[in-house]
């Protein structure tokens, strides 16, 4: 399905992005990771790029097109978080989070879409369950992820004329460190009986990008072990 298809993954150096890149590479895709740093990931080529910078993204997508031709899949995964008091947030904090998490989705999608003319044309944006529910001191991150949720269906509308599908994924708790760091209660509070892993998100990306599932468009797939459906009251 994805053999020799060109797949671009932003924020691919670690965490969920790395797992996504590895899964597509295992399927035979030509995977290009965009990140501020380059790491060694088998069968993944890294290009240094600030995905929140219009000119860098434009030039990077042109380079990918020049080297690989058609872009088939874009996974907008790059994201950072900063949880701090509402009263301590500075303008620079706002700009940094929104540029990295939200502006990057717009510019990467637009520039990659210029070169999406193949048999697979799919964009996946990484939102979050924090787009729909919150804890205190999460305004910056929540605003960026809520924006991604809305931007996804807007992009789907605009890019439908090019035959490009745009969907998003809203991960819940996805643990990317050592499993020994987790407590029993961390797993038990999920209806699925465990905390999520990067592979859970990667497999969803493979599913959504599969052209056999082409009727799934402008959708947000929540992957959180049931937590956003769980009523929590103090008894």
């Amino acid at each position: 399905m994805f053999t020799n298809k060109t797949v671009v993954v932003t924020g691919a150096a670690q965490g969920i992005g790395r797992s996504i890149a590895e899964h597509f590479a295992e399927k035979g895709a030509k995977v290009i990771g965009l990140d501020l740093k380059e790491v060694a990931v088998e069968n993944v080529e890294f290009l240094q790029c600030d995905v929140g910078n219009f000119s860098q993204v434009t030039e990077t997508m042109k380079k990918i097109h020049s080297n690989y031709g058609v872009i088939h899949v874009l996974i907008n995964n790059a994201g950072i978080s900063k949880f701090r008091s509402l009263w301590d947030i500075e303008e620079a904090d706002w700009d940094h989070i929104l540029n990295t998490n939200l502006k990057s989705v717009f510019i990467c999608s637009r520039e990659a879409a210029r070169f999406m003319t193949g048999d697979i044309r799919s964009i996946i944006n990484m939102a979050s369950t924090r787009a729909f529910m919150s804890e205190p001191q999460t305004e910056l991150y929540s605003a960026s992820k809520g924006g991604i949720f809305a931007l996804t269906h807007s992009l789907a509308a605009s890019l439908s004329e090019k035959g490009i599908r745009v969907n998003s994924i809203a991960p819940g708790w996805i643990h990317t460190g050592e499993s020994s760091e987790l407590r029993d209660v961390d797993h038990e509070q999920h209806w699925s009986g465990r905390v999520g892993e990067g592979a859970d998100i990667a497999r969803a990306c493979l599913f959504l990008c599969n052209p056999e599932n082409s009727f799934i468009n402008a959708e947000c797939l929540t992957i959180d072990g049931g937590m956003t459906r769980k009523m929590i009251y103090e008894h």
Side-chain angles (χ1 to χ4, degrees):
M1 178 58 65
F2 296 107
T3 301
N4 293 324
K5 304 302 182 183
T6 302
V7 177
V8 179
V9 183
T10 72
Q14 59 187 357
I16 292 174
R18 178 167 181 155
S19 183
I20 293 170
E22 290 173 337
H23 275 71
F24 273 100
E26 289 172 1
K27 297 297 183 181
K30 297 180 291 187
V31 182
I32 300 95
L34 304 187
D35 213 299
L36 293 175
K37 58 183 178 181
E38 298 181 39
V39 299
V41 178
E42 187 174 1
N43 296 321
V44 178
E45 177 187 350
F46 275 87
L47 297 177
Q48 286 187 307
C49 179
D50 178 355
V51 293
N53 182 294
F54 268 48
S55 60
Q56 284 192 37
V57 169
T58 299
E59 291 306 311
T60 299
M61 292 300 178
K62 287 180 179 177
K63 181 177 181 179
I64 293 171
H65 174 60
S66 177
N67 292 343
Y68 292 95
V70 171
I71 295 174
H72 296 91
V73 172
L74 169 66
I75 310 293
N76 284 307
N77 166 79
I80 54 177
S81 60
K82 178 180 288 187
F83 301 139
R84 62 187 308 182
S85 170
L86 170 69
W87 312 109
D88 295 331
I89 293 172
E90 304 287 345
E91 184 176 4
D93 300 321
W94 176 268
D95 290 343
H96 185 43
I97 298 293
L98 271 293
N99 286 349
T100 303
N101 295 8
L102 181 57
K103 186 170 79 170
S104 64
V105 172
F106 171 77
I107 187 59
C108 286
S109 296
R110 188 182 74 177
E111 296 309 307
R114 298 184 191 278
F115 309 114
M116 285 187 163
T117 58
D119 54 345
I120 298 178
R121 308 175 198 180
S122 180
I123 296 174
I124 308 294
N125 302 324
M126 208 56 60
S128 169
T129 53
R130 291 183 185 273
F132 317 114
M133 61 183 195
S134 292
E135 295 174 303
Q137 325 306 343
T138 63
E139 284 78 12
L140 294 173
Y141 191 73
S142 295
S144 70
K145 294 302 183 176
I148 289 172
F149 172 77
L151 184 57
T152 294
H153 55 74
S154 182
L155 286 169
S158 297
L159 293 176
S160 63
E161 63 182 18
K162 292 177 63 68
I164 298 172
R165 293 186 298 120
V166 188
N167 290 290
S168 62
I169 294 174
W173 186 347
I174 305 297
H175 187 69
T176 56
E178 296 293 331
S179 59
S180 59
E181 300 170 4
L182 297 171
R183 306 164 299 169
D184 289 343
V185 68
D186 297 330
H187 295 291
E188 291 166 355
Q189 67 181 304
H190 291 79
W191 284 343
S192 292
R194 66 175 177 86
V195 171
E197 302 172 348
D200 294 312
I201 308 304
R203 287 190 294 267
C205 288
L206 292 172
F207 172 79
L208 289 173
C209 291
N210 188 326
E212 292 182 352
N213 302 316
S214 62
F215 203 54
I216 304 174
N217 199 4
E219 190 54 78
C220 181
L221 178 60
T222 298
I223 304 176
D224 70 345
M227 290 298 290
T228 52
R229 299 301 186 191
K230 183 177 180 180
M231 286 189 177
I232 302 174
Y233 294 100
E234 293 185 15
H235 294 286

